[in-house]
Every structure is written in C-alpha cells, then in structure tokens.
Amino acid sequence: VRNTERAQYSGGVTGALIAMDGEIYPSRFITDAFALVDAAQPDIPVMIGNQLVGTTGANGKLLVPDLYSNLENRISIDPDQLPPNASISAIEQLIVPQRKGGIHVQFPVKFLASVLIDAYDINEQPLPVGAVLTADIVEQEFIVGWGGEVYIEQLTEPLRLYWEEGDCVLSVNPPPEPRASLPRLGKIICQPVAGVDE
C-alpha cells in the first residue's frame, strides 16, 4: 500500500491596483490618499516635504501612496536631475487630496531646443570674437564667442543669421532630437549673401 502525500500551498497578496491616467499602478494598501506624480522624465527624485519617496519610472511617473487627505501635502521634484535644456515653471506643489482619493500632480517640463554652433567664414576661419549676428525671424542678436561658438536658445525652426561685416549669412536648422541636451551642430559656413537664395 502506498501512501500518497498531498501538499497544499496557499498565499496571498495585499495591496492595491490604481488605474489612473490610462495606466495601472500596483501599490501597497492605501490608508488615506495618494497622488500620481508626472515629471515627464524618468529617474526624477520625488519628495514629500523634504523626504525622498521614490523616483519616476520609465514613463516619467511615480505613484505616491502615503498622503494625508484634506490637508496640504507638499510634493516636489529635484530639478538637478533634469537635462540642462529642460525648463520647468515650478518644482513643488501643494495639494489637498480627498479621503481615499487620488490626485494627478503634473510638473510640466518643456525642452528648450537650444544649440551651439561653430560659425566660420568662407575661408573656414572662425568668425571673430564679439561679431554680432542678427536673425531673420526674431528680433535678437547673437554674439560670437571664442572659436566661433554661438549659443542659440529655443531654435524651433530654421534660422538665418546675418553677419553684416562679412556680408554673409549662416543657415541653422533645429536639432533632430529636441530633447537632446544642448547639442553642438558643428561648423556652419557663413555664405556670401549674393550666393544665398532669398
């Protein structure tokens, strides 16, 4: 006679699944209130008060389950972890969620399409330091730095920069990836105005 032993296993999971902003977030049990923090970038530290509670995931979001309902909760992000070309209007917000409720907290991050170019003359020499370039679509002047370097902020459409002293123009196009951190577009030759299609 053979004795057959039967093993029986059981287990359990406690916690919560939160459906918000078109996604589902697993969480430990929520006793009071929660927030979904959206910083639009991964790996951004999120704090309640001055205490780190986590970092945003690949989708730029973090579920924060330990908030007090009907009271002000100070939620902030660490801007030092944002790319240099990121611009944000506020790094902290005061929120008052309802009991057993959640709130979507957005920190809208905009990316400035700023670039560096190396401005050269037709003889492939850097434009002189202090040379003034004027733009065709914005009322702004750009000053040439060492080695012909020119910083252009918020380049969102093609731009032509005129150098009056050299009677020439530089054609600058926006970077292909606007979120890139201050891309260097390289050498751009200042073409004689007569040789540029108007």
Side-chain angles (χ1 to χ4, degrees):
V1 177
R2 291 181 62 188
N3 288 333
T4 57
E5 294 182 12
R6 291 189 181 197
Q8 188 173 14
Y9 301 96
S10 64
V13 175
T14 60
L17 288 175
I18 305 294
M20 194 173 204
D21 201 27
E23 297 184 49
I24 295 178
Y25 299 88
S27 172
R28 62 181 175 273
F29 189 72
I30 295 175
T31 58
D32 200 350
F34 66 92
L36 179 62
V37 177
D38 185 351
Q41 282 287 295
D43 303 317
I44 302 299
V46 177
M47 291 158 282
I48 297 178
N50 292 322
Q51 183 175 356
L52 179 68
V53 293
T55 58
T56 56
N59 62 355
K61 299 174 185 175
L62 174 70
L63 184 73
V64 180
D66 300 321
L67 298 181
Y68 297 108
S69 61
N70 302 316
L71 294 173
E72 283 188 346
N73 295 266
R74 185 182 307 271
I75 293 184
S76 60
I77 62 171
D78 183 356
D80 291 340
Q81 302 304 314
L82 291 170
N85 64 327
S87 172
I88 187 164
S89 57
I91 61 168
E92 76 173 22
Q93 295 184 38
L94 294 175
I95 62 165
V96 182
Q98 296 179 351
R99 178 156 175 74
K100 297 290 186 184
I103 191 166
H104 192 181
V105 181
Q106 290 184 295
F107 289 93
V109 177
K110 293 181 181 176
F111 292 91
L112 305 177
S114 301
V115 299
L116 287 171
I117 66 166
D118 298 316
Y120 281 68
D121 64 20
I122 196 70
N123 299 315
E124 298 202 19
Q125 297 298 312
L127 294 189
V129 174
V132 178
L133 306 176
T134 55
D136 62 344
I137 59 173
V138 291
E139 290 185 22
Q140 188 174 357
E141 293 182 339
F142 300 87
I143 308 298
V144 177
W146 296 107
E149 191 172 85
V150 180
Y151 172 75
I152 304 171
E153 188 173 76
Q154 298 196 47
L155 180 65
T156 56
E157 55 186 293
L159 180 69
R160 295 185 347 156
L161 300 176
Y162 294 90
W163 182 35
E164 194 172 323
E165 286 182 43
D167 195 28
C168 62
V169 61
L170 298 109
S171 298
V172 186
N173 291 312
E177 174 50 60
R179 292 188 178 214
S181 178
L182 196 60
R184 183 179 287 275
L185 299 183
K187 183 190 291 187
I188 298 179
I189 304 295
C190 195
Q191 301 292 336
V193 171
V196 176
D197 294 331
E198 294 297 328

